[in-house]
Amino acid sequence: MKLWQSLYALIWLNFFVLLVATLDVIPYKAQVHAGLGLLVLVVAFINKVRIGKTSAPARLKRITAATAGISVMATATGILLAIPALASFGIVFRVLHILAIVAIIAQSGSVATAYDMWEEGELTPAAKT
């Protein structure tokens, strides 16, 4: 998969994470949500490593690294939500979990678009009109 495709895939993976979380008709909802969440974590780190090997602008590399870090937070809060002994903190973990997912969507959308434009040469001074 090309890097730009992987960057856009992270947006859609998180969209489906939220979709699964909100639809009650999905069989094995918790397992599907956890599986997609794990995939988000893996793709976020793959994107971080792959964009780091390019000559893309440093800002994109920093945002991608931050996105990978936020995916760790999303994973951690998801795991904490599954521990019954921590149920009294459930609302806090749930809010942090949702905020992390939304932040990943926003940041990965930003990076995917900017990287795609950079790769196509649309950000060069000659491209400005």
Side-chain angles (χ1 to χ4, degrees), residues 57-105:
R59 175 177 296 163
L60 300 182
K61 294 176 183 182
R62 289 190 304 269
I63 295 170
T64 306
T67 303
I70 293 170
S71 71
V72 171
M73 184 178 102
T75 303
T77 54
I79 291 168
L80 292 172
L81 280 167
I83 301 173
L86 299 175
S88 61
F89 298 103
I91 189 67
V92 173
F93 297 144
R94 187 174 311 274
V95 168
L96 290 174
H97 191 63
I98 292 168
L99 287 175
I101 293 167
V102 171
I104 293 169
I105 291 171

mmCIF file of all heavy atoms in Angstrom, residues 57-105:
data_model
loop_
_atom_site.group_PDB
_atom_site.id
_atom_site.type_symbol
_atom_site.label_atom_id
_atom_site.label_comp_id
_atom_site.label_asym_id
_atom_site.label_seq_id
_atom_site.Cartn_x
_atom_site.Cartn_y
_atom_site.Cartn_z
ATOM 1 N N PRO A 57 7.807 17.348 4.761
ATOM 2 C CA PRO A 57 8.041 18.418 5.736
ATOM 3 C C PRO A 57 8.029 17.887 7.186
ATOM 4 O O PRO A 57 7.264 16.976 7.513
ATOM 5 C CB PRO A 57 6.876 19.379 5.504
ATOM 6 C CG PRO A 57 6.484 19.155 4.071
ATOM 7 C CD PRO A 57 6.717 17.695 3.832
ATOM 8 N N ALA A 58 8.863 18.474 8.001
ATOM 9 C CA ALA A 58 8.990 18.044 9.406
ATOM 10 C C ALA A 58 7.663 18.135 10.151
ATOM 11 O O ALA A 58 7.383 17.320 11.029
ATOM 12 C CB ALA A 58 10.061 18.876 10.101
ATOM 13 N N ARG A 59 6.847 19.112 9.816
ATOM 14 C CA ARG A 59 5.549 19.255 10.487
ATOM 15 C C ARG A 59 4.716 17.992 10.313
ATOM 16 O O ARG A 59 4.065 17.533 11.256
ATOM 17 C CB ARG A 59 4.791 20.457 9.926
ATOM 18 C CG ARG A 59 3.384 20.584 10.491
ATOM 19 C CD ARG A 59 2.692 21.802 9.998
ATOM 20 N NE ARG A 59 3.416 22.966 10.483
ATOM 21 C CZ ARG A 59 3.281 24.187 9.993
ATOM 22 N NH1 ARG A 59 2.446 24.420 9.018
ATOM 23 N NH2 ARG A 59 3.967 25.192 10.488
ATOM 24 N N LEU A 60 4.704 17.423 9.122
ATOM 25 C CA LEU A 60 3.939 16.204 8.883
ATOM 26 C C LEU A 60 4.482 15.045 9.699
ATOM 27 O O LEU A 60 3.719 14.226 10.217
ATOM 28 C CB LEU A 60 3.922 15.854 7.400
ATOM 29 C CG LEU A 60 3.305 16.883 6.465
ATOM 30 C CD1 LEU A 60 3.314 16.390 5.038
ATOM 31 C CD2 LEU A 60 1.909 17.247 6.913
ATOM 32 N N LYS A 61 5.797 14.993 9.832
ATOM 33 C CA LYS A 61 6.417 13.938 10.639
ATOM 34 C C LYS A 61 6.049 14.092 12.111
ATOM 35 O O LYS A 61 5.769 13.107 12.795
ATOM 36 C CB LYS A 61 7.934 13.957 10.446
ATOM 37 C CG LYS A 61 8.343 13.592 9.033
ATOM 38 C CD LYS A 61 9.828 13.706 8.838
ATOM 39 C CE LYS A 61 10.196 13.394 7.386
ATOM 40 N NZ LYS A 61 11.616 13.434 7.144
ATOM 41 N N ARG A 62 6.027 15.329 12.598
ATOM 42 C CA ARG A 62 5.658 15.567 14.006
ATOM 43 C C ARG A 62 4.199 15.219 14.263
ATOM 44 O O ARG A 62 3.869 14.595 15.278
ATOM 45 C CB ARG A 62 5.924 17.026 14.387
ATOM 46 C CG ARG A 62 7.395 17.397 14.490
ATOM 47 C CD ARG A 62 7.590 18.774 15.115
ATOM 48 N NE ARG A 62 6.875 19.833 14.411
ATOM 49 C CZ ARG A 62 7.386 20.571 13.420
ATOM 50 N NH1 ARG A 62 8.623 20.350 13.006
ATOM 51 N NH2 ARG A 62 6.675 21.535 12.859
ATOM 52 N N ILE A 63 3.322 15.611 13.348
ATOM 53 C CA ILE A 63 1.900 15.317 13.536
ATOM 54 C C ILE A 63 1.665 13.810 13.481
ATOM 55 O O ILE A 63 0.880 13.265 14.270
ATOM 56 C CB ILE A 63 1.037 16.049 12.484
ATOM 57 C CG1 ILE A 63 1.141 17.565 12.677
ATOM 58 C CG2 ILE A 63 -0.420 15.610 12.584
ATOM 59 C CD1 ILE A 63 0.517 18.376 11.543
ATOM 60 N N THR A 64 2.347 13.132 12.586
ATOM 61 C CA THR A 64 2.197 11.678 12.482
ATOM 62 C C THR A 64 2.708 10.997 13.748
ATOM 63 O O THR A 64 2.095 10.040 14.231
ATOM 64 C CB THR A 64 2.934 11.149 11.238
ATOM 65 O OG1 THR A 64 2.473 11.871 10.088
ATOM 66 C CG2 THR A 64 2.685 9.683 11.022
ATOM 67 N N ALA A 65 3.795 11.494 14.302
ATOM 68 C CA ALA A 65 4.304 10.938 15.561
ATOM 69 C C ALA A 65 3.317 11.188 16.703
ATOM 70 O O ALA A 65 3.069 10.301 17.529
ATOM 71 C CB ALA A 65 5.666 11.550 15.886
ATOM 72 N N ALA A 66 2.737 12.383 16.740
ATOM 73 C CA ALA A 66 1.743 12.689 17.772
ATOM 74 C C ALA A 66 0.515 11.797 17.612
ATOM 75 O O ALA A 66 -0.054 11.321 18.603
ATOM 76 C CB ALA A 66 1.343 14.158 17.701
ATOM 77 N N THR A 67 0.110 11.546 16.379
ATOM 78 C CA THR A 67 -1.036 10.682 16.118
ATOM 79 C C THR A 67 -0.765 9.265 16.623
ATOM 80 O O THR A 67 -1.646 8.633 17.221
ATOM 81 C CB THR A 67 -1.372 10.663 14.614
ATOM 82 O OG1 THR A 67 -1.619 12.000 14.188
ATOM 83 C CG2 THR A 67 -2.566 9.794 14.317
ATOM 84 N N ALA A 68 0.437 8.775 16.405
ATOM 85 C CA ALA A 68 0.799 7.451 16.927
ATOM 86 C C ALA A 68 0.720 7.446 18.455
ATOM 87 O O ALA A 68 0.219 6.488 19.056
ATOM 88 C CB ALA A 68 2.197 7.055 16.451
ATOM 89 N N GLY A 69 1.185 8.515 19.077
ATOM 90 C CA GLY A 69 1.096 8.613 20.534
ATOM 91 C C GLY A 69 -0.339 8.642 21.028
ATOM 92 O O GLY A 69 -0.690 7.996 22.022
ATOM 93 N N ILE A 70 -1.182 9.359 20.322
ATOM 94 C CA ILE A 70 -2.594 9.428 20.705
ATOM 95 C C ILE A 70 -3.262 8.071 20.509
ATOM 96 O O ILE A 70 -4.153 7.695 21.273
ATOM 97 C CB ILE A 70 -3.320 10.545 19.923
ATOM 98 C CG1 ILE A 70 -2.782 11.909 20.363
ATOM 99 C CG2 ILE A 70 -4.823 10.493 20.147
ATOM 100 C CD1 ILE A 70 -3.238 13.067 19.505
ATOM 101 N N SER A 71 -2.809 7.315 19.518
ATOM 102 C CA SER A 71 -3.381 5.977 19.324
ATOM 103 C C SER A 71 -3.035 5.065 20.504
ATOM 104 O O SER A 71 -3.815 4.179 20.851
ATOM 105 C CB SER A 71 -2.923 5.363 17.997
ATOM 106 O OG SER A 71 -1.564 5.007 18.031
ATOM 107 N N VAL A 72 -1.891 5.305 21.126
ATOM 108 C CA VAL A 72 -1.539 4.559 22.343
ATOM 109 C C VAL A 72 -2.511 4.930 23.468
ATOM 110 O O VAL A 72 -2.998 4.060 24.204
ATOM 111 C CB VAL A 72 -0.076 4.826 22.769
ATOM 112 C CG1 VAL A 72 0.224 4.242 24.135
ATOM 113 C CG2 VAL A 72 0.890 4.283 21.729
ATOM 114 N N MET A 73 -2.830 6.226 23.575
ATOM 115 C CA MET A 73 -3.779 6.657 24.591
ATOM 116 C C MET A 73 -5.156 6.057 24.337
ATOM 117 O O MET A 73 -5.834 5.608 25.264
ATOM 118 C CB MET A 73 -3.882 8.179 24.630
ATOM 119 C CG MET A 73 -4.784 8.686 25.739
ATOM 120 S SD MET A 73 -4.861 10.472 25.809
ATOM 121 C CE MET A 73 -6.442 10.732 25.022
ATOM 122 N N ALA A 74 -5.582 6.024 23.082
ATOM 123 C CA ALA A 74 -6.884 5.430 22.745
ATOM 124 C C ALA A 74 -6.902 3.952 23.124
ATOM 125 O O ALA A 74 -7.891 3.462 23.680
ATOM 126 C CB ALA A 74 -7.180 5.612 21.259
ATOM 127 N N THR A 75 -5.812 3.260 22.840
ATOM 128 C CA THR A 75 -5.722 1.841 23.180
ATOM 129 C C THR A 75 -5.743 1.644 24.687
ATOM 130 O O THR A 75 -6.472 0.788 25.203
ATOM 131 C CB THR A 75 -4.445 1.224 22.578
ATOM 132 O OG1 THR A 75 -4.458 1.418 21.163
ATOM 133 C CG2 THR A 75 -4.337 -0.250 22.894
ATOM 134 N N ALA A 76 -4.968 2.449 25.390
ATOM 135 C CA ALA A 76 -4.908 2.324 26.856
ATOM 136 C C ALA A 76 -6.258 2.605 27.495
ATOM 137 O O ALA A 76 -6.706 1.853 28.379
ATOM 138 C CB ALA A 76 -3.844 3.273 27.418
ATOM 139 N N THR A 77 -6.934 3.654 27.069
ATOM 140 C CA THR A 77 -8.242 3.962 27.657
ATOM 141 C C THR A 77 -9.270 2.900 27.280
ATOM 142 O O THR A 77 -10.149 2.583 28.084
ATOM 143 C CB THR A 77 -8.737 5.366 27.249
ATOM 144 O OG1 THR A 77 -8.732 5.480 25.825
ATOM 145 C CG2 THR A 77 -7.876 6.449 27.877
ATOM 146 N N GLY A 78 -9.148 2.326 26.091
ATOM 147 C CA GLY A 78 -10.035 1.229 25.701
ATOM 148 C C GLY A 78 -9.848 0.019 26.589
ATOM 149 O O GLY A 78 -10.815 -0.617 27.010
ATOM 150 N N ILE A 79 -8.602 -0.299 26.897
ATOM 151 C CA ILE A 79 -8.316 -1.421 27.794
ATOM 152 C C ILE A 79 -8.842 -1.123 29.193
ATOM 153 O O ILE A 79 -9.460 -1.986 29.836
ATOM 154 C CB ILE A 79 -6.799 -1.718 27.818
ATOM 155 C CG1 ILE A 79 -6.368 -2.291 26.471
ATOM 156 C CG2 ILE A 79 -6.444 -2.675 28.961
ATOM 157 C CD1 ILE A 79 -4.858 -2.360 26.267
ATOM 158 N N LEU A 80 -8.637 0.095 29.669
ATOM 159 C CA LEU A 80 -9.126 0.465 31.006
ATOM 160 C C LEU A 80 -10.651 0.396 31.092
ATOM 161 O O LEU A 80 -11.199 0.034 32.141
ATOM 162 C CB LEU A 80 -8.632 1.868 31.372
ATOM 163 C CG LEU A 80 -7.127 2.001 31.591
ATOM 164 C CD1 LEU A 80 -6.727 3.460 31.749
ATOM 165 C CD2 LEU A 80 -6.674 1.180 32.791
ATOM 166 N N LEU A 81 -11.336 0.716 30.002
ATOM 167 C CA LEU A 81 -12.799 0.618 29.979
ATOM 168 C C LEU A 81 -13.281 -0.818 30.136
ATOM 169 O O LEU A 81 -14.388 -1.061 30.613
ATOM 170 C CB LEU A 81 -13.355 1.190 28.674
ATOM 171 C CG LEU A 81 -13.465 2.705 28.606
ATOM 172 C CD1 LEU A 81 -13.718 3.158 27.181
ATOM 173 C CD2 LEU A 81 -14.573 3.192 29.527
ATOM 174 N N ALA A 82 -12.451 -1.762 29.745
ATOM 175 C CA ALA A 82 -12.840 -3.178 29.798
ATOM 176 C C ALA A 82 -12.585 -3.820 31.160
ATOM 177 O O ALA A 82 -12.962 -4.960 31.379
ATOM 178 C CB ALA A 82 -12.097 -3.943 28.714
ATOM 179 N N ILE A 83 -11.976 -3.088 32.078
ATOM 180 C CA ILE A 83 -11.670 -3.636 33.401
ATOM 181 C C ILE A 83 -12.801 -3.289 34.364
ATOM 182 O O ILE A 83 -12.973 -2.120 34.721
ATOM 183 C CB ILE A 83 -10.318 -3.100 33.919
ATOM 184 C CG1 ILE A 83 -9.197 -3.478 32.945
ATOM 185 C CG2 ILE A 83 -10.032 -3.623 35.329
ATOM 186 C CD1 ILE A 83 -7.855 -2.856 33.256
ATOM 187 N N PRO A 84 -13.579 -4.288 34.782
ATOM 188 C CA PRO A 84 -14.734 -4.023 35.645
ATOM 189 C C PRO A 84 -14.383 -3.308 36.957
ATOM 190 O O PRO A 84 -15.168 -2.487 37.437
ATOM 191 C CB PRO A 84 -15.299 -5.418 35.929
ATOM 192 C CG PRO A 84 -14.811 -6.265 34.807
ATOM 193 C CD PRO A 84 -13.483 -5.693 34.413
ATOM 194 N N ALA A 85 -13.224 -3.568 37.514
ATOM 195 C CA ALA A 85 -12.839 -2.950 38.783
ATOM 196 C C ALA A 85 -12.665 -1.435 38.665
ATOM 197 O O ALA A 85 -12.683 -0.730 39.671
ATOM 198 C CB ALA A 85 -11.553 -3.583 39.308
ATOM 199 N N LEU A 86 -12.517 -0.939 37.444
ATOM 200 C CA LEU A 86 -12.318 0.494 37.222
ATOM 201 C C LEU A 86 -13.590 1.183 36.717
ATOM 202 O O LEU A 86 -13.529 2.304 36.208
ATOM 203 C CB LEU A 86 -11.176 0.718 36.221
ATOM 204 C CG LEU A 86 -9.807 0.190 36.641
ATOM 205 C CD1 LEU A 86 -8.797 0.370 35.518
ATOM 206 C CD2 LEU A 86 -9.335 0.863 37.905
ATOM 207 N N ALA A 87 -14.727 0.519 36.874
ATOM 208 C CA ALA A 87 -15.992 1.031 36.347
ATOM 209 C C ALA A 87 -16.355 2.414 36.888
ATOM 210 O O ALA A 87 -16.984 3.211 36.203
ATOM 211 C CB ALA A 87 -17.116 0.045 36.634
ATOM 212 N N SER A 88 -15.910 2.726 38.101
ATOM 213 C CA SER A 88 -16.244 4.038 38.671
ATOM 214 C C SER A 88 -15.558 5.183 37.917
ATOM 215 O O SER A 88 -15.985 6.331 38.008
ATOM 216 C CB SER A 88 -15.878 4.085 40.158
ATOM 217 O OG SER A 88 -14.500 3.874 40.325
ATOM 218 N N PHE A 89 -14.504 4.875 37.184
ATOM 219 C CA PHE A 89 -13.810 5.877 36.372
ATOM 220 C C PHE A 89 -14.240 5.800 34.903
ATOM 221 O O PHE A 89 -13.660 6.447 34.044
ATOM 222 C CB PHE A 89 -12.294 5.675 36.440
ATOM 223 C CG PHE A 89 -11.729 5.835 37.811
ATOM 224 C CD1 PHE A 89 -11.375 4.709 38.562
ATOM 225 C CD2 PHE A 89 -11.554 7.085 38.370
ATOM 226 C CE1 PHE A 89 -10.856 4.848 39.828
ATOM 227 C CE2 PHE A 89 -11.040 7.235 39.639
ATOM 228 C CZ PHE A 89 -10.695 6.106 40.379
ATOM 229 N N GLY A 90 -15.275 4.999 34.639
ATOM 230 C CA GLY A 90 -15.698 4.717 33.268
ATOM 231 C C GLY A 90 -15.950 5.945 32.434
ATOM 232 O O GLY A 90 -15.527 6.011 31.283
ATOM 233 N N ILE A 91 -16.636 6.937 32.983
ATOM 234 C CA ILE A 91 -16.968 8.126 32.189
ATOM 235 C C ILE A 91 -15.707 8.886 31.784
ATOM 236 O O ILE A 91 -15.599 9.391 30.668
ATOM 237 C CB ILE A 91 -17.993 9.047 32.907
ATOM 238 C CG1 ILE A 91 -18.477 10.151 31.978
ATOM 239 C CG2 ILE A 91 -17.410 9.626 34.177
ATOM 240 C CD1 ILE A 91 -19.301 9.673 30.835
ATOM 241 N N VAL A 92 -14.741 8.937 32.690
ATOM 242 C CA VAL A 92 -13.476 9.626 32.389
ATOM 243 C C VAL A 92 -12.744 8.899 31.261
ATOM 244 O O VAL A 92 -12.304 9.523 30.291
ATOM 245 C CB VAL A 92 -12.583 9.714 33.649
ATOM 246 C CG1 VAL A 92 -11.203 10.263 33.303
ATOM 247 C CG2 VAL A 92 -13.252 10.545 34.720
ATOM 248 N N PHE A 93 -12.650 7.578 31.378
ATOM 249 C CA PHE A 93 -11.971 6.800 30.345
ATOM 250 C C PHE A 93 -12.716 6.875 29.016
ATOM 251 O O PHE A 93 -12.117 6.963 27.954
ATOM 252 C CB PHE A 93 -11.807 5.342 30.769
ATOM 253 C CG PHE A 93 -10.940 5.155 31.978
ATOM 254 C CD1 PHE A 93 -11.227 4.164 32.900
ATOM 255 C CD2 PHE A 93 -9.837 5.966 32.209
ATOM 256 C CE1 PHE A 93 -10.432 3.973 34.023
ATOM 257 C CE2 PHE A 93 -9.035 5.784 33.323
ATOM 258 C CZ PHE A 93 -9.329 4.779 34.237
ATOM 259 N N ARG A 94 -14.048 6.870 29.067
ATOM 260 C CA ARG A 94 -14.849 6.924 27.853
ATOM 261 C C ARG A 94 -14.645 8.260 27.131
ATOM 262 O O ARG A 94 -14.461 8.306 25.920
ATOM 263 C CB ARG A 94 -16.326 6.729 28.172
ATOM 264 C CG ARG A 94 -17.190 6.597 26.935
ATOM 265 C CD ARG A 94 -18.628 6.264 27.289
ATOM 266 N NE ARG A 94 -18.763 5.170 28.231
ATOM 267 C CZ ARG A 94 -18.803 3.883 27.906
ATOM 268 N NH1 ARG A 94 -18.708 3.534 26.654
ATOM 269 N NH2 ARG A 94 -18.931 2.963 28.835
ATOM 270 N N VAL A 95 -14.652 9.359 27.894
ATOM 271 C CA VAL A 95 -14.442 10.684 27.285
ATOM 272 C C VAL A 95 -13.042 10.772 26.675
ATOM 273 O O VAL A 95 -12.881 11.235 25.540
ATOM 274 C CB VAL A 95 -14.674 11.806 28.329
ATOM 275 C CG1 VAL A 95 -14.175 13.147 27.817
ATOM 276 C CG2 VAL A 95 -16.149 11.889 28.699
ATOM 277 N N LEU A 96 -12.039 10.320 27.402
ATOM 278 C CA LEU A 96 -10.671 10.340 26.864
ATOM 279 C C LEU A 96 -10.543 9.456 25.626
ATOM 280 O O LEU A 96 -9.861 9.812 24.659
ATOM 281 C CB LEU A 96 -9.677 9.898 27.940
ATOM 282 C CG LEU A 96 -9.466 10.872 29.094
ATOM 283 C CD1 LEU A 96 -8.574 10.243 30.169
ATOM 284 C CD2 LEU A 96 -8.877 12.180 28.602
ATOM 285 N N HIS A 97 -11.221 8.320 25.654
ATOM 286 C CA HIS A 97 -11.183 7.389 24.527
ATOM 287 C C HIS A 97 -11.791 8.032 23.280
ATOM 288 O O HIS A 97 -11.199 8.003 22.196
ATOM 289 C CB HIS A 97 -11.950 6.114 24.916
ATOM 290 C CG HIS A 97 -11.780 4.974 23.984
ATOM 291 N ND1 HIS A 97 -10.575 4.349 23.752
ATOM 292 C CD2 HIS A 97 -12.690 4.313 23.217
ATOM 293 C CE1 HIS A 97 -10.740 3.371 22.889
ATOM 294 N NE2 HIS A 97 -12.023 3.328 22.540
ATOM 295 N N ILE A 98 -12.951 8.633 23.427
ATOM 296 C CA ILE A 98 -13.622 9.280 22.291
ATOM 297 C C ILE A 98 -12.823 10.480 21.797
ATOM 298 O O ILE A 98 -12.663 10.678 20.587
ATOM 299 C CB ILE A 98 -15.064 9.672 22.667
ATOM 300 C CG1 ILE A 98 -15.894 8.407 22.873
ATOM 301 C CG2 ILE A 98 -15.691 10.570 21.603
ATOM 302 C CD1 ILE A 98 -17.237 8.643 23.517
ATOM 303 N N LEU A 99 -12.299 11.283 22.720
ATOM 304 C CA LEU A 99 -11.477 12.431 22.317
ATOM 305 C C LEU A 99 -10.246 11.982 21.535
ATOM 306 O O LEU A 99 -9.858 12.623 20.552
ATOM 307 C CB LEU A 99 -11.065 13.252 23.536
ATOM 308 C CG LEU A 99 -12.162 14.087 24.186
ATOM 309 C CD1 LEU A 99 -11.641 14.745 25.463
ATOM 310 C CD2 LEU A 99 -12.690 15.125 23.223
ATOM 311 N N ALA A 100 -9.635 10.889 21.969
ATOM 312 C CA ALA A 100 -8.452 10.377 21.266
ATOM 313 C C ALA A 100 -8.815 9.939 19.851
ATOM 314 O O ALA A 100 -8.104 10.248 18.887
ATOM 315 C CB ALA A 100 -7.840 9.215 22.047
ATOM 316 N N ILE A 101 -9.941 9.247 19.703
ATOM 317 C CA ILE A 101 -10.360 8.787 18.378
ATOM 318 C C ILE A 101 -10.642 9.978 17.460
ATOM 319 O O ILE A 101 -10.211 9.998 16.300
ATOM 320 C CB ILE A 101 -11.589 7.861 18.488
ATOM 321 C CG1 ILE A 101 -11.205 6.566 19.204
ATOM 322 C CG2 ILE A 101 -12.155 7.549 17.110
ATOM 323 C CD1 ILE A 101 -12.396 5.729 19.632
ATOM 324 N N VAL A 102 -11.334 10.977 17.980
ATOM 325 C CA VAL A 102 -11.647 12.162 17.175
ATOM 326 C C VAL A 102 -10.357 12.911 16.808
ATOM 327 O O VAL A 102 -10.201 13.380 15.676
ATOM 328 C CB VAL A 102 -12.654 13.070 17.911
ATOM 329 C CG1 VAL A 102 -12.826 14.393 17.196
ATOM 330 C CG2 VAL A 102 -13.996 12.352 18.043
ATOM 331 N N ALA A 103 -9.430 12.997 17.742
ATOM 332 C CA ALA A 103 -8.148 13.663 17.462
ATOM 333 C C ALA A 103 -7.376 12.909 16.378
ATOM 334 O O ALA A 103 -6.769 13.530 15.497
ATOM 335 C CB ALA A 103 -7.310 13.756 18.734
ATOM 336 N N ILE A 104 -7.418 11.592 16.413
ATOM 337 C CA ILE A 104 -6.725 10.801 15.390
ATOM 338 C C ILE A 104 -7.346 11.066 14.020
ATOM 339 O O ILE A 104 -6.631 11.230 13.027
ATOM 340 C CB ILE A 104 -6.751 9.299 15.735
ATOM 341 C CG1 ILE A 104 -5.914 9.017 16.982
ATOM 342 C CG2 ILE A 104 -6.235 8.467 14.555
ATOM 343 C CD1 ILE A 104 -6.107 7.619 17.549
ATOM 344 N N ILE A 105 -8.661 11.124 13.965
ATOM 345 C CA ILE A 105 -9.335 11.405 12.695
ATOM 346 C C ILE A 105 -8.899 12.778 12.164
ATOM 347 O O ILE A 105 -8.536 12.921 10.989
ATOM 348 C CB ILE A 105 -10.865 11.338 12.833
ATOM 349 C CG1 ILE A 105 -11.312 9.898 13.075
ATOM 350 C CG2 ILE A 105 -11.553 11.903 11.593
ATOM 351 C CD1 ILE A 105 -12.776 9.747 13.428
#
